[in-house]
Amino acid sequence: HFHGCYPDGTIPRDELAFILRRLNIDDAILDFSPHAPGSQRCGIPVREFVNWIMQQVPDEHAVTSQDSSYELGCSDKTQSRPTLKSAAKAVVMAQRVQRDVTYDLIVIGAGPCGMKAAEDAAARGKHVALIEPALAVTGAPTGAHSKCLREAVLHGARTWTEVEKILSRAIASAQHHAARVLRTFQISWLKGRGVISSETSVEFTPNDGSAVRTVWGEAIIVATGSKSARYPPTDFSLPGVYDSDTIWNLDRIPKRVLVQGAGIISVEYALIFRKMGAQVTVIDAFPAFLPMLDVSLQDAVRKALQDNGIEVIMGTPFKSV
């Protein structure tokens, strides 16, 4: 039947992976075989692939390349050599031990979603790796800075010294909580960057400059969050020009703030800096104000900006910065 479907003896990788799973054989074996390159539609020579698996077993179970009568089911205790299924399992286990630790779950990104996923899995007894390049894990979302500034304003901060105290207290608390979670649930924090290389593996580049290595996992969660949208012609390399990520580097309350864009984060920062005493102008290239919100909410936000003395200019793109 096989030769009728694949007369040239090769089968696409994704189809072979499906067949292996149906035979209860771990398709991770494909990641280790020299006959199975990464492309899902590449042709894999099945006879060579099977022979390679069987040749990895100990010498007392050696199989010649001419022997193609492999059992695909469970091991038969009367046989002197292992079945393909047991041989493949042994190869996968041995290769994983040689290459690196295998985890039940690999989480890329230590924001609120990544930390929660890692914590929930580890609490259920799973072996979890958390890949994060930051020097400290806080579990804070991308917009945490604006939330901390908002809390500082609500608590009456009017000088940058007062703001810094609240920011430092919030960051220290978040770091303490994240460290306790990692320690309590024995989550492995891999400090560096990860790139998915297959359904079950991540190429991990450590922060310390050591060699790139492969981390294996039964499942992978990508929780890398978002980054600021940088619209031209703004040059963000200029001193005093920030986006919602680099605004963390601000170390003073500016006298005047110009906000490019009238989105939710923009409006939030506009109100925050106005509350701290800065003169604020919001400029947006598009005519619609917060179009993702209900009309009544748009009106309420506009009124809040007006009541706080914030100038809003719509339909006016930047020409230069």
Side-chain angles (χ1 to χ4, degrees):
H1 177 72
F2 170 80
H3 286 291
C5 296
Y6 308 100
D8 63 349
T10 64
I11 181 172
R13 177 184 171 121
D14 54 351
E15 294 182 27
L16 181 55
F18 174 78
I19 292 173
L20 292 173
R21 289 193 293 267
R22 290 297 298 270
L23 295 171
N24 292 319
I25 296 175
D26 189 349
D27 63 346
I29 188 73
L30 294 170
D31 294 327
F32 306 111
S33 171
H35 303 289
S39 173
Q40 292 299 309
R41 297 303 298 175
C42 67
I44 296 174
V46 174
R47 183 181 297 276
E48 288 83 351
F49 173 68
V50 173
N51 282 336
W52 174 80
I53 293 175
M54 300 305 291
Q55 287 166 1
Q56 307 306 305
V57 298
D59 292 340
E60 62 267 24
H61 297 304
V63 180
T64 64
S65 60
Q66 288 76 30
D67 185 358
S68 60
S69 57
Y70 304 117
E71 289 287 340
L72 297 181
C74 297
S75 300
D76 186 340
K77 294 181 180 179
T78 64
Q79 293 180 330
S80 61
R81 62 180 173 81
T83 63
L84 177 63
K85 178 178 177 180
S86 60
K89 182 177 180 180
V91 171
V92 170
M93 292 179 64
Q95 289 285 343
R96 283 177 170 171
V97 169
Q98 292 175 9
R99 296 191 180 196
D100 214 324
V101 177
T102 298
Y103 297 91
D104 296 309
L105 175 66
I106 300 172
V107 180
I108 304 177
C113 294
M115 282 295 295
K116 185 60 176 175
E119 179 183 349
D120 284 356
R124 289 165 171 78
K126 302 300 182 181
H127 190 198
V128 180
L130 180 66
I131 298 178
E132 170 60 48
L135 298 179
V137 169
T138 62
T142 304
H145 183 264
S146 65
K147 308 305 180 288
C148 291
L149 280 180
R150 183 185 64 195
E151 292 303 308
V153 171
L154 292 176
H155 281 81
R158 291 296 181 269
T159 67
W160 192 253
T161 301
E162 295 173 337
V163 170
E164 281 188 321
K165 287 181 180 179
I166 295 175
L167 287 176
S168 299
R169 188 163 62 242
I171 292 171
S173 176
Q175 289 179 352
H176 175 75
H177 175 74
R180 184 174 59 186
V181 168
L182 296 177
R183 184 173 59 253
T184 300
F185 296 103
Q186 298 182 357
I187 298 169
S188 299
W189 174 19
L190 306 183
K191 301 177 182 180
R193 297 184 178 276
V195 177
I196 296 176
S197 53
S198 76
E199 293 181 358
T200 56
S201 62
V202 173
E203 295 300 314
F204 171 66
T205 304
N207 281 345
D208 60 11
S210 56
V212 176
R213 68 177 191 267
T214 303
V215 182
W216 302 92
E218 298 298 324
I220 301 171
I221 291 179
V222 179
T224 50
S226 61
K227 63 180 181 180
S228 299
R230 292 188 167 189
Y231 294 108
T234 305
D235 182 359
F236 287 89
S237 66
L238 294 173
V241 180
Y242 304 93
D243 60 26
S244 58
D245 294 333
T246 60
I247 194 74
W248 280 95
N249 300 319
L250 186 67
D251 58 359
R252 69 192 192 290
I253 298 176
K255 294 181 178 180
R256 184 169 180 81
V257 176
L258 185 64
V259 181
Q260 180 185 25
I264 293 174
I265 302 300
S266 300
V267 169
E268 186 175 37
Y269 271 114
L271 284 166
I272 288 171
F273 281 110
R274 182 66 187 119
K275 291 288 187 182
M276 290 191 291
Q279 295 295 318
V280 181
T281 300
V282 176
I283 299 180
D284 198 304
F286 301 98
F289 178 78
L290 295 176
M292 73 291 295
L293 298 184
D294 181 83
V295 174
S296 60
L297 290 177
Q298 294 176 11
D299 294 340
V301 174
R302 267 190 176 279
K303 186 176 186 305
L305 294 175
Q306 292 172 358
D307 291 347
N308 283 275
I310 297 173
E311 183 182 11
V312 179
I313 304 173
M314 303 299 297
T316 306
F318 280 19
K319 288 186 177 181
S320 63
V321 176

